[in-house]
């Protein structure tokens, strides 16, 4: 893929004069360095649960949790595709229409509908998915519903976090990721000793809702958009209730 990318963009890679940046290198570094720390904090957010499960339980419970994460990767595909497409589109739109806010509201509603529908379908079809994946994933069926909230809330938050990047306040990402990572670790220490992998999934699912809220809040501080999230919150509450039902109904079998 990289080689093909160089070939089709050979004019960019092999031009003598090069392409001048429209911003200063200092400004570019100031914008980009927070993402280094954010990446590290996101790693803590996504891996601390497995370490805590191992501390209180055993590798069997870790395996169940890892199996559930593999199922969640079905939604991660949609997350990756959306982010790759969304980022250049939204920057270009902001450049051409700096005062328009309705575009972001519509995008948020469309993405929310798609992601919530996909999550609901995966939970409804969980038994069929497990059947095709094999018996080794059987224990993961009561864990993955809450883990689905990771790609759901992350993807939807990409439509509400845009103000932070527009305003070049990227250090907000460090505050957000650090806060959510701490909350997730605390939640794991509270829930994992009693519930094992299921407790880690619940803590992660709730943490990513906080992740969405903080991203939206900080973005609105510098780029005000009325997303009208009332119906979205109702949908999320119903989805959380359904996740609790799906988790408990399977753990009792």
């Amino acid at each position: 893929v990289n080689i093909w990318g160089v070939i089709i963009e050979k004019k960019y890679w092999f031009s003598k004069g090069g392409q001048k940046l429209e911003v200063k290198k200092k400004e570019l570094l100031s914008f980009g360095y927070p993402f280094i720390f954010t990446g590290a904090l996101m790693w803590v957010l996504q891996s601390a649960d497995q370490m805590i499960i191992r501390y209180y339980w055993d590798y069997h419970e870790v395996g169940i949790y890892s199996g559930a994460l593999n199922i969640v990767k079905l939604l991660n595909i949609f997350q990756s595709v959306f982010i790759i497409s969304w980022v250049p589109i939204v920057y270009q739109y902001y450049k051409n229409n700096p005062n328009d806010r309705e575009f972001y509201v519509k995008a948020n509603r469309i993405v929310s509908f798609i992601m919530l529908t996909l999550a609901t379908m995966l939970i409804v079809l969980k038994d069929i998915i497990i059947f095709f994946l094999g018996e080794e994933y059987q224990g993961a069926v009561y864990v993955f519903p809450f883990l689905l909230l990771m790609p759901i809330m992350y993807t939807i938050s990409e439509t509400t976090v845009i103000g932070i990047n527009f305003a070049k306040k990227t250090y907000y990402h460090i505050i957000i990721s650090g806060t959510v990572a701490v909350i997730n670790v605390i939640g794991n220490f509270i829930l994992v000793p009693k519930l094992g992998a299921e407790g880690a999934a619940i803590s992660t699912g709730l943490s990513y809702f906080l992740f969405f809220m903080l991203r939206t809040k900080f973005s609105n501080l510098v780029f005000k958009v009325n997303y009208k999230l009332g119906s979205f919150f109702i949908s999320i509450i119903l989805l959380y209730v359904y996740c609790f039902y799906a988790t408990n109904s399977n753990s009792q079998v």
Side-chain angles (χ1 to χ4, degrees):
V1 173
N2 289 330
I3 293 173
W4 177 246
V6 172
I7 292 173
I8 62 177
E9 296 288 348
K10 57 182 179 297
K11 291 183 179 180
Y12 173 82
W13 287 95
F14 301 109
S15 61
K16 294 182 180 180
Q19 184 176 350
K20 294 183 179 180
L21 293 174
E22 296 181 1
V23 296
K24 297 179 180 179
K25 290 184 178 180
K26 183 178 180 181
E27 185 179 359
L28 190 62
L29 291 173
S30 177
F31 180 88
Y33 87 86
F35 291 105
I36 299 175
F37 297 98
T38 300
L41 291 169
M42 290 302 295
W43 176 83
V44 172
L45 177 62
Q46 296 174 1
S47 61
D49 42 15
Q50 296 184 58
M51 292 186 288
I52 296 173
I53 292 173
R54 176 65 188 92
Y55 179 79
Y56 284 106
W57 293 74
D58 52 28
Y59 283 115
H60 174 72
E61 199 73 12
V62 175
I64 291 175
Y65 191 82
S66 298
L69 286 174
N70 287 333
I71 301 174
V72 173
K73 288 179 181 178
L74 294 170
L75 264 184
N76 285 339
I77 297 173
F78 291 93
Q79 173 185 323
S80 300
V81 171
F82 171 75
I83 292 175
I84 291 173
S85 305
W86 168 252
V87 172
I89 291 174
V90 73
Y91 275 102
Q92 186 63 41
Y93 189 86
Y94 176 71
K95 181 179 180 180
N96 297 331
N97 307 276
N99 297 319
D100 184 19
R101 300 293 191 270
E102 189 62 27
F103 171 77
Y104 312 108
V105 176
K106 291 180 179 179
N108 170 259
R109 292 197 170 191
I110 293 172
V111 173
S112 298
F113 175 79
I114 293 173
M115 295 305 294
L116 292 174
T117 301
L118 288 172
T120 304
M121 289 176 60
L122 286 174
I123 298 174
V124 170
L125 300 174
K126 61 186 182 301
D127 294 322
I128 298 176
I129 295 172
I130 296 299
F131 175 79
F132 282 106
L133 290 178
E135 293 183 359
E136 61 269 26
Y137 285 91
Q138 192 64 42
V141 71
Y142 64 89
V143 176
F144 91 92
F146 271 102
L147 292 180
L148 288 174
L149 296 166
M150 287 196 298
I152 291 172
M153 302 312 298
Y154 192 101
T155 304
I156 297 174
S157 72
E158 283 294 310
T159 65
T160 62
V161 75
I162 38 92
I164 294 177
N165 298 332
F166 289 164
K168 301 178 182 179
K169 305 288 186 180
T170 50
Y171 57 87
Y172 283 160
H173 291 303
I174 300 177
I175 300 173
I176 294 168
S177 300
T179 301
V180 175
V182 171
I183 295 298
N184 188 38
V185 170
I186 294 174
N188 273 275
F189 275 116
I190 294 173
L191 297 176
V192 168
K194 298 179 180 180
L195 302 175
E198 181 182 333
I202 294 173
S203 176
T204 299
L206 295 175
S207 296
Y208 268 85
F209 178 73
L210 176 62
F211 181 74
F212 166 81
M213 291 296 298
L214 290 177
R215 282 186 129 198
T216 304
K217 180 64 176 179
F218 277 96
S219 178
N220 265 295
L221 290 176
V222 292
F223 187 75
K224 187 67 176 179
V225 179
N226 184 12
Y227 288 104
K228 303 174 183 177
L229 296 175
S231 58
F232 171 76
F233 286 140
I234 294 174
S235 299
I236 284 295
I237 291 172
L238 292 175
L239 182 60
Y240 270 79
V241 171
Y242 186 37
C243 287
F244 271 110
Y245 170 77
T247 297
N248 294 327
S249 62
N250 278 285
S251 61
Q252 294 172 358
V253 175

